[in-house]
Amino acid sequence: MRRRRFLNMSLAGLGTACVMGHGAPAQFIPRPGKDKWAVIFGTWYGTARDAGVWISEGLGGMAAVFDARQKPDLAAFDHLVLGTAIQGGKGPREFSELIQANAVAIQGKVRGLFAVCGNLEKPVGAEQKKTYIDDYLAPLCKADAGVPGRVFNGRVTKVLMSPEDYKIVKDLYERLGLPPLKDYDLLRRPDCLEFGRSILGRLPSG
Ligand SMILES: Cc1cc2nc3c(=O)[nH]c(=O)nc-3n(C[C@H](O)[C@H](O)[C@H](O)COP(=O)(O)O)c2cc1C
């Protein structure tokens, strides 16, 4: 009996491993609800991951949070918050590919959009909202009109960067006559929490 139970548990574990993919991080959903929510992010160096996790906390802890590279099945969710880090005006290829591959599955389910960008360490504003949300993410995700969107200031963590990426940004700072590129962190958890809360406050009724 004990052996059979062990075998069943092992097989169940194997199934989970196959579904999640090898090395997939554990999902932490403190307060799962009846409807299924997910926050999907595109990132190179983790800023958009942190923004996604903090937005999920602002949503009340009921959303699963996925890196687009995990290729989650977006059809499994009722509500989606989609967001990405920005390099050269766009998110990572894997992010846009996931959205495009799930274009039908996500229709009518997008509840929020977010972007994280450096903006040369200057505060983001209406211009970045137009560029990254209205003109880029909203059409990519085919979001309904009025879906809330927010751009956050991001960060640079030099030790994580590829030499090529580091050189691009360092050279840009030099060309523009800015002080030498140093680590910075302008992403604010309270802003992300607040955005999550604001999404809940604007849910369509019915
Ligand atoms: C190669 C490279 C290109 C970037 N291009 C832009 C850009 O076009 N506009 C911008 O505002 N920030 C740009 N950034 C800054 C990133 O958006 C910022 O560092 C962000 O926090 C990265 O998020 P991540 O850690 O999730 O990848 C760029 C950064 C790198 C390394």
Side-chain angles (χ1 to χ4, degrees), residues 43-48 85-89 117-119 132 154-155 161 169:
T43 187
W44 284 271
Y45 299 118
T47 325
I86 297 293
Q87 282 197 8
C117 70
N119 203 37
Y132 300 132
R155 65 180 176 231
M161 291 170 85
V169 185

Side-chain angles (χ1 to χ4, degrees), residues 7-162:
L7 193 67
N8 285 345
M9 283 166 62
S10 303
L11 288 174
L14 195 65
T16 308
C18 292
V19 171
M20 295 289 291
H22 184 69
Q27 283 294 341
F28 173 61
I29 311 172
R31 296 179 58 210
K34 189 164 62 62
D35 282 3
K36 290 203 161 27
W37 281 75
V39 178
I40 313 294
F41 62 83
T43 187
W44 284 271
Y45 299 118
T47 325
R49 171 203 59 206
D50 290 350
V53 169
W54 294 337
I55 290 167
S56 81
E57 291 176 0
L59 285 166
M62 61 186 174
V65 185
F66 294 96
D67 187 320
R69 288 170 292 198
Q70 292 175 269
K71 296 193 171 64
D73 173 15
L74 301 189
F77 297 98
D78 306 303
H79 308 279
L80 293 161
V81 178
L82 307 170
T84 187
I86 297 293
Q87 282 197 8
K90 304 237 173 307
R93 183 174 45 80
E94 295 89 342
F95 176 78
S96 46
E97 282 179 359
L98 179 75
I99 301 301
Q100 282 158 351
N102 285 274
V104 176
I106 68 176
Q107 220 161 2
K109 297 181 182 174
V110 181
R111 306 289 174 238
L113 299 167
F114 69 97
V116 178
C117 70
N119 203 37
L120 301 171
E121 302 176 56
K122 295 190 302 283
V124 294
E127 193 185 327
Q128 288 71 37
K129 161 89 169 34
K130 178 175 177 345
T131 307
Y132 300 132
I133 304 292
D134 303 343
D135 295 348
Y136 170 55
L137 277 178
L140 174 69
C141 304
K142 299 199 170 50
D144 296 333
V147 166
R150 181 89 188 251
V151 182
F152 303 103
N153 276 102
R155 65 180 176 231
V156 153
T157 313
K158 280 169 25 179
V159 72
L160 297 180
M161 291 170 85
S162 69

